[in-house]
Amino acid sequence: MIPNQFYCFSGIVITLYIVVLHTLASPTVHLCRHDQRDALLEFKHEFPGADMKSSLSSDYDMSSWNKSSDCCSWGAVTCVAKYGQVISLELVNLSLNNFLKPNSGLFKLQYLQRLTLSNCDLYGEIPSSFGNLSHLIELDLGHNKLVGQVPASIGNLTKLRHLRLHGNKLSGKFSVLFANFTQLFTLGLSYNYFEPEPLPNMSRFHRLKIFDVKGNSFFGSFPTSLFTIPSLEWVYLGGNNFTGPIDFGNASLSSTLQYLSLADNRFNGPIPESIFRLLNLRFLNLHNNSFHGPFPAYLFTMPSLQWVYLARNQFDGTIDFGNILPSSNLSFLDLGDNKFDGQIPESISKFLKLEMLDLSNNKLEGKVPGCLRRLKSLRLSHNSFSSFGKSSQVMMDQAQMLELRLDSNSLQGPFPHWICRLRSLKLLDLSNNSFNGSVPPCVRSLTETLQVLNLRNNNFSGLLPDVFVNASRLTELVVSRNQLEGKLPQSLINCTSMELLNVEGNKFKDKFPSWLGSLPILSVLILRSNQFYGPLVSTGFKTLKIIDVSHNDFSGTLPTLYFSNWLEMSEITKLSSYFDPYMGYYVGFFMRGSGFYSSSMELVHKGVDTEFEKIREDYTSIDFSSNNFYGKIPESIGLLKGLRYLNLSNNAFTSNIPQSLANLTILESLDVSKNQLSGPIPPDLDELFSLSTMNFAHNNLEGPIPQGTQFQRQNCSSFMDNPRLSNLEDICGKPHVSNLTPQEPEEILEPEEPVINWIAAAIAYGPGVLCGLVIGHIFVSHKHEWFMEKFGRNKSRALIISVR
Ligand SMILES: *[C@@H]1O[C@H](CO)[C@@H](O)[C@H](O)[C@H]1NC(C)=O
Ligand SMILES: *[C@@H]1O[C@H](CO)[C@@H](O)[C@H](O)[C@H]1NC(C)=O
Ligand SMILES: *[C@@H]1O[C@H](CO)[C@@H](O)[C@H](O)[C@H]1NC(C)=O
Ligand SMILES: *[C@@H]1O[C@H](CO)[C@@H](O)[C@H](O)[C@H]1NC(C)=O
Ligand SMILES: *[C@@H]1O[C@H](CO)[C@@H](O)[C@H](O)[C@H]1NC(C)=O
Ligand SMILES: *[C@@H]1O[C@H](CO)[C@@H](O)[C@H](O)[C@H]1NC(C)=O
Ligand SMILES: *[C@@H]1O[C@H](CO)[C@@H](O)[C@H](O)[C@H]1NC(C)=O
Ligand SMILES: *[C@@H]1O[C@H](CO)[C@@H](O)[C@H](O)[C@H]1NC(C)=O
Ligand SMILES: *[C@@H]1O[C@H](CO)[C@@H](O)[C@H](O)[C@H]1NC(C)=O
Ligand SMILES: *[C@@H]1O[C@H](CO)[C@@H](O)[C@H](O)[C@H]1NC(C)=O
Ligand SMILES: *[C@@H]1O[C@H](CO)[C@@H](O)[C@H](O)[C@H]1NC(C)=O
Ligand SMILES: *[C@@H]1O[C@H](CO)[C@@H](O)[C@H](O)[C@H]1NC(C)=O
């Protein structure tokens, strides 16, 4: 996230006569003009609370600024040697935490040609004094907390060519504020709060090369006038509210446009053939609009195109690439989330440079395509593919393939052995198909690179092979919902990066794998619905957040200190997420800042079998239900202050409900039903204000039900079959609990809407975050905008410098 997207100022011409004094200055010769030095120090002193050290390098901060050295040698400062004038100041990633004063020392640096104050925690309005810096060519105030309107005085900076104000909270009307900025080459206004309005006639901005207004609220029809500007190279209109068809009929015939993003708007209609006028278009992003019509074959005859994103639209019909030229430069193609049907034509193998192909979430069938030797990423999830073409075995250059997602198709037969030859694979998802037979030992050859292996919901049977000795990068292993049996492979102990292990719904018959307790970052352990047996020995497991061992044959007592090791759950996790407007998604929202890949996971949530698409970072859960545990519920449960969900139901626990449960202040759901608990419901549970679902039914509890509203809101069935509980009149409307009819358990299963909502919210953020993870793990991002712009950023730098 280099905020300073376009280092355009330099212009080779200027650099020729600038001597950058970092290299030349001897400490005794003061070349810096004193007024310039004083102005810089005055500016520095305006931020007394600031951390002057930037995270990366003193080339972008004020830590080296002091009177004992020449100010031209200070970090972030560049002078013209001959005159001792400061012409460039470039501060990045500093926590200045203050307003810019109208009479700041900054405005005494009157020779400044380039000024970057990017990601510096600047507040308040942009002072109109910027109008005094009349030599400015480039101004970058991106990624701050600036509010209000852009001062008109900046319009007086007639030399200004590059203006970047992205990632602030600036308001006002674009058509008024920027009316006089017609000389700009770069206008970067993304992610601000400009008033909703249509874009004005843009043809007056006749020198524009880069126009970036993504993430605002512009609306209205396609701004055709913009495309008449002959110098235009990069256009980002994504994330606004534009509607209607697009048309390049008036685009300049010498169009230099290379990058066009219209993503996340409400554009519709077909892709017009007039797009051919964009002779130099390399990147086309139409993701997430309402474009429709048949497959736009002609698009693929444009030799300049390298990246095409048409995902999340309404295109339909069969895929037909037409005449693919051998010179085609297409390397990234995303057609996911449309309504394409039929088969993928063989001709796709003529895209000799194709590296990434996404055709997920369509209605495609037939064979998984082959002969794509340059491919690094293939995503065909959620279609009806039923077999592999003959060529599949040579499908991918075995050294290149990083990601293979074939989940949720109709694939069947044994595990495709050729996959074992994809020696660079990081992500393999074969879940939700009908593969059968054993998981072959050749999987061993994948495990050195593999980060995610998902075989969920197939018919794999037999033992899970003991092949994980070298799987030190594996973070997620999901083999749930198969017919696997026997013991868990001991080599899982070597998966030191493992965060999630899900073997739910198999026939594993083993003791509790207590040895997994030494895995340093294991967060989620799901053994549910197998035949595990014996005591639940718990050592280690310090980082667990979710454990589900329900529906097995575990037995024995839990020692008093049982939970005292589970450190991760003993603190309330703070949500570290924040919306990163630059990335366009929530960062750090899910576990360990990245989130799990696993396309889904079933947990019993508040009595409801819930399929989680994504799990929130602060979700914690213990499910020991439906086993044969007996004895007292350990007091140490009260140490798990971060616990939200606890299910101990359907065991043989005896004695009192521990008082310490009252320490679990964020507990939302508690189920101890179907045990042999006696004594009272601890009255202090009244103070657990988050507790919204609870079940005490079928025990021997006695005494009054706590009066708190959480309790009073429960269904009667939550207390039934405890003959000695009293005060049930308000809840059950009947004097005697024992009269309750047994029809009522159904009500236990009623989902509690308001409570599930936050999970729903998490699921809603899913796709974006999923991408976050994929960026971390895999080289391509599903969040196209991000990836393209990352690419774009580097390119643009080179681009501009060569232009001036
Ligand atoms: C500023 O911070 C971003 C991430 O927050 C980083 O990508 C970038 O390299 C940093 N730039 C400098 C100059 O420190
Ligand atoms: C001034 O800055 C220089 C580096 O530019 C540093 O070596 C020196 O110690 C600093 N002096 C003081 C008094 O901070
Ligand atoms: C800006 O320029 C005007 C006119 O030259 C001057 O009066 C004013 O003091 C300057 N402002 C700053 C902050 O230097
Ligand atoms: C733009 O320039 C015109 C003519 O110089 C001036 O009248 C108008 O106020 C300016 N608009 C803004 C927003 O600065
Ligand atoms: C722009 O410059 C003109 C002439 O120097 C001056 O009169 C005017 O006040 C300036 N406008 C703003 C908004 O600073
Ligand atoms: C925009 O303005 C230019 C020049 O004034 C004019 O030729 C063109 O027709 C206008 N375009 C639209 C779409 O109004
Ligand atoms: C987009 O426009 C519609 C009405 O045309 C409006 O309801 C909606 O709030 C707008 N969305 C944004 C993000 O501005
Ligand atoms: C193209 O330009 C002509 C003449 O300026 C205009 O009449 C027409 O509406 C423009 N077409 C589009 C799609 O803007
Ligand atoms: C699609 O675009 C709409 C705005 O038009 C936005 O609200 C939504 O989050 C986008 N969806 C995705 C998956 O990016
Ligand atoms: C294809 O890409 C190569 C290298 O990136 C480039 O040199 C060539 O000009 C491109 N071809 C077209 C038609 O744009
Ligand atoms: C696997 O784990 C065992 C037990 O911790 C250890 O002895 C062995 O060296 C590990 N092997 C590798 C290849 O890391
Ligand atoms: C409950 O919390 C209190 C106060 O934090 C603490 O003193 C007590 O030890 C806790 N009890 C248990 C069983 O965790």
Side-chain angles (χ1 to χ4, degrees):
M1 191 179 66
I2 301 167
N4 195 5
Q5 226 180 50
F6 310 112
Y7 292 81
C8 322
F9 135 85
S10 43
I12 295 154
V13 189
I14 301 173
T15 24
L16 286 180
Y17 68 82
I18 293 171
V19 180
V20 181
L21 288 174
H22 291 231
T23 46
L24 293 186
S26 96
T28 48
V29 188
H30 283 240
L31 294 177
C32 176
R33 266 170 51 167
H34 285 190
D35 66 307
Q36 300 281 289
R37 179 196 62 194
D38 294 344
L40 284 167
L41 288 175
E42 184 183 335
F43 176 67
K44 177 174 177 173
H45 291 140
E46 286 161 26
F47 303 98
D51 174 7
M52 294 303 168
K53 199 99 194 84
S54 136
S55 51
L56 278 191
S57 141
S58 62
D59 289 349
Y60 299 99
D61 68 26
M62 302 193 272
S63 58
S64 59
W65 294 15
N66 65 46
K67 276 194 170 166
S68 58
S69 57
D70 190 290
C71 83
C72 292
S73 71
W74 294 351
V77 174
T78 308
C79 295
V80 182
K82 196 167 164 194
Y83 305 110
Q85 299 162 343
V86 174
I87 55 157
S88 167
L89 177 60
E90 201 181 349
L91 294 168
V92 178
N93 294 353
L94 283 184
S95 209
L96 296 180
N97 268 317
N98 211 339
F99 298 85
L100 268 179
K101 293 195 295 182
N103 60 349
S104 164
L106 183 64
F107 303 114
K108 297 180 183 161
L109 297 167
Q110 68 272 44
Y111 306 105
L112 276 181
Q113 297 180 15
R114 172 208 234 179
L115 175 59
T116 298
L117 295 170
S118 167
N119 197 17
C120 285
D121 282 334
L122 292 171
Y123 305 134
E125 302 202 356
I126 300 177
S128 67
S129 322
F130 273 103
N132 279 27
L133 301 176
S134 59
H135 294 284
L136 273 187
I137 297 172
E138 179 184 359
L139 176 60
D140 185 344
L141 300 174
H143 287 295
N144 284 292
K145 294 163 183 163
L146 298 167
V147 298
Q149 309 215 341
V150 177
S153 63
I154 292 185
N156 266 7
L157 303 178
T158 52
K159 294 182 179 162
L160 197 65
R161 291 294 174 268
H162 308 287
L163 179 60
R164 301 192 46 80
L165 302 170
H166 56 284
N168 281 289
K169 296 175 176 171
L170 298 168
S171 53
K173 259 181 131 78
F174 173 91
S175 55
V176 175
L177 295 176
F178 296 93
N180 290 350
F181 287 72
T182 53
Q183 302 302 311
L184 288 177
F185 291 3
T186 304
L187 184 53
L189 304 176
S190 58
Y191 300 113
N192 275 292
Y193 295 162
F194 295 113
E195 270 178 40
E197 63 174 326
L199 278 180
N201 185 334
M202 294 296 294
S203 62
R204 290 188 308 132
F205 295 77
H206 60 288
R207 307 175 86 168
L208 213 51
K209 293 183 189 306
I210 296 170
F211 183 62
D212 181 0
V213 295
K214 70 175 168 295
N216 281 289
S217 304
F218 293 103
F219 63 88
S221 57
F222 183 64
T224 48
S225 61
L226 183 62
F227 295 86
T228 62
I229 303 172
S231 53
L232 209 59
E233 290 173 0
W234 303 76
V235 171
Y236 308 74
L237 302 178
N240 282 285
N241 213 352
F242 291 108
T243 50
I246 62 176
D247 183 353
F248 304 94
N250 283 357
S252 161
L253 262 177
S254 56
S255 166
T256 50
L257 192 67
Q258 298 189 35
Y259 180 108
L260 175 61
S261 171
L262 306 177
D264 302 324
N265 279 291
R266 296 189 289 139
F267 287 116
N268 58 33
I271 301 176
E273 296 208 25
S274 60
I275 199 165
F276 272 118
R277 295 172 76 98
L278 310 179
L279 291 174
N280 289 293
L281 194 65
R282 292 195 292 149
F283 310 97
L284 176 64
N285 187 354
L286 305 183
H287 176 256
N288 190 20
N289 279 282
S290 300
F291 289 107
H292 55 80
F295 191 77
Y298 43 89
L299 204 55
F300 296 91
T301 61
M302 289 174 73
S304 58
L305 273 179
Q306 289 178 9
W307 298 48
V308 175
Y309 290 94
L310 304 183
R312 239 172 227 276
N313 280 290
Q314 312 284 330
F315 292 107
D316 56 15
T318 53
I319 293 176
D320 173 10
F321 295 106
N323 267 340
I324 299 168
L325 302 175
S327 60
S328 167
N329 263 346
L330 193 71
S331 60
F332 288 74
L333 176 58
D334 189 344
L335 301 172
D337 290 285
N338 279 291
K339 297 175 185 164
F340 292 120
D341 55 25
Q343 311 210 3
I344 300 181
E346 298 257 322
S347 62
I348 195 167
S349 60
K350 291 189 187 159
F351 290 120
L352 300 178
K353 296 189 180 162
L354 199 61
E355 293 183 8
M356 192 274 196
L357 177 63
D358 190 332
L359 275 157
S360 309
N361 293 302
N362 279 290
K363 295 187 276 184
L364 297 165
E365 58 191 31
K367 293 175 179 167
V368 172
C371 280
L372 294 163
R373 291 179 180 278
R374 295 282 291 270
L375 211 58
K376 292 183 172 144
S377 166
L378 178 63
R379 301 177 184 172
L380 300 177
S381 314
H382 293 276
N383 281 290
S384 302
F385 290 103
S386 53
S387 63
F388 295 97
K390 263 193 215 139
S391 51
S392 294
Q393 308 216 3
V394 287
M395 178 163 72
M396 306 99 187
D397 184 324
Q398 287 118 14
Q400 301 233 21
M401 195 75 184
L402 299 177
E403 178 186 21
L404 182 56
R405 299 194 196 179
L406 301 175
D407 52 295
S408 303
N409 277 290
S410 308
L411 296 166
Q412 45 188 295
F415 185 99
H417 274 70
W418 55 267
I419 289 180
C420 294
R421 297 211 306 271
L422 306 176
R423 294 289 164 84
S424 304
L425 209 57
K426 295 186 177 185
L427 191 157
L428 175 60
D429 192 343
L430 300 179
S431 64
N432 301 323
N433 281 290
S434 303
F435 289 111
N436 56 25
S438 61
V439 178
C442 74
V443 167
R444 178 192 301 272
S445 57
L446 296 176
T447 55
E448 253 177 74
T449 53
L450 216 52
Q451 296 174 355
V452 173
L453 176 58
N454 192 343
L455 303 178
R456 173 184 176 273
N457 202 16
N458 280 286
N459 289 317
F460 288 118
S461 57
L463 300 178
L464 185 60
D466 201 4
V467 294
F468 300 95
V469 174
N470 293 320
S472 60
R473 298 188 187 162
L474 193 65
T475 61
E476 288 175 43
L477 175 60
V478 181
V479 296
S480 54
R481 313 227 160 171
N482 279 288
Q483 313 285 331
L484 297 167
E485 57 188 48
K487 301 193 176 199
L488 289 182
Q490 289 285 331
S491 56
L492 289 177
I493 190 75
N494 292 73
C495 300
T496 47
S497 303
M498 180 91 82
E499 295 181 33
L500 182 153
L501 176 62
N502 186 352
V503 304
E504 178 253 351
N506 281 285
K507 295 188 228 159
F508 286 110
K509 192 165 193 173
D510 195 357
K511 288 185 190 144
F512 180 69
S514 55
W515 41 276
L516 290 175
S518 66
L519 294 182
I521 56 172
L522 186 68
S523 303
V524 181
L525 177 60
I526 312 228
L527 306 181
R528 180 168 163 232
S529 297
N530 278 286
Q531 294 159 30
F532 288 99
Y533 58 89
L536 207 60
V537 186
S538 143
T539 47
F541 295 109
K542 291 191 167 72
T543 52
L544 266 191
K545 287 182 168 184
I546 297 174
I547 177 169
D548 184 346
V549 300
S550 65
H551 299 271
N552 277 290
D553 297 323
F554 288 117
S555 60
T557 59
L558 303 176
T560 318
L561 290 179
Y562 190 78
F563 296 106
S564 56
N565 271 335
W566 297 16
L567 299 181
E568 188 77 31
M569 280 197 244
S570 67
E571 275 169 33
I572 299 177
T573 308
K574 285 204 191 89
L575 268 189
S576 52
S577 71
Y578 62 95
F579 186 74
D580 183 332
Y582 208 68
M583 299 283 200
Y585 57 72
Y586 283 80
V587 174
F589 204 82
F590 297 97
M591 300 202 174
R592 305 218 170 268
S594 57
F596 293 113
Y597 164 76
S598 299
S599 44
S600 60
M601 181 189 311
E602 301 83 5
L603 293 172
V604 180
H605 183 74
K606 299 185 195 267
V608 185
D609 210 344
T610 310
E611 187 158 321
F612 288 85
E613 212 171 295
K614 287 288 145 192
I615 299 180
R616 230 169 80 153
E617 182 180 25
D618 60 351
Y619 188 69
T620 46
S621 160
I622 294 178
D623 194 338
F624 285 4
S625 65
S626 300
N627 281 287
N628 305 309
F629 295 114
Y630 52 88
K632 203 167 155 29
I633 297 173
E635 269 305 306
S636 58
I637 191 77
L639 295 171
L640 306 183
K641 295 202 168 58
L643 189 59
R644 292 185 186 273
Y645 174 88
L646 177 61
N647 189 349
L648 302 175
S649 69
N650 203 11
N651 280 288
F653 286 113
T654 50
S655 189
N656 288 12
I657 297 177
Q659 297 282 347
S660 67
L661 274 182
N663 272 12
L664 305 185
T665 51
I666 62 167
L667 195 67
E668 294 174 21
S669 169
L670 171 65
D671 189 346
V672 293
S673 65
K674 298 192 183 158
N675 281 289
Q676 291 150 37
L677 297 166
S678 54
I681 296 177
D684 289 350
L685 294 188
D686 238 3
E687 281 158 35
L688 300 183
F689 298 113
S690 307
L691 193 58
S692 55
T693 312
M694 53 189 111
N695 195 347
F696 297 94
H698 309 288
N699 280 293
N700 302 314
L701 298 168
E702 62 183 62
I705 287 180
Q707 288 303 300
T709 46
Q710 323 87 296
F711 282 84
Q712 302 300 318
R713 272 199 211 112
Q714 298 302 308
N715 285 325
C716 183
S717 53
S718 297
F719 304 99
M720 70 187 289
D721 191 20
N722 285 286
R724 291 192 292 157
L725 274 184
S726 55
N727 281 18
L728 271 172
E729 295 78 5
D730 290 343
I731 300 171
C732 296
K734 291 181 189 173
H736 299 294
V737 193
S738 47
N739 288 351
L740 284 172
T741 52
Q743 281 97 317
E744 295 199 46
E746 273 179 13
E747 287 177 58
I748 302 174
L749 295 176
E750 256 174 47
E752 292 243 331
E753 282 303 339
V755 193
I756 282 178
N757 273 349
W758 65 267
I759 305 272
I763 291 173
Y765 291 131
V769 177
L770 172 60
C771 312
L773 162 83
V774 174
I775 291 165
H777 284 196
I778 309 287
F779 82 112
V780 228
S781 133
H782 195 76
K783 195 79 183 176
H784 321 300
E785 195 82 17
W786 179 85
F787 193 46
M788 294 177 78
E789 278 163 27
K790 186 173 160 60
F791 195 88
R793 190 156 47 241
N794 299 335
K795 286 288 178 206
S796 64
R797 183 175 185 171
L799 187 84
I800 300 300
I801 287 173
S802 63
V803 165
R804 272 187 55 91

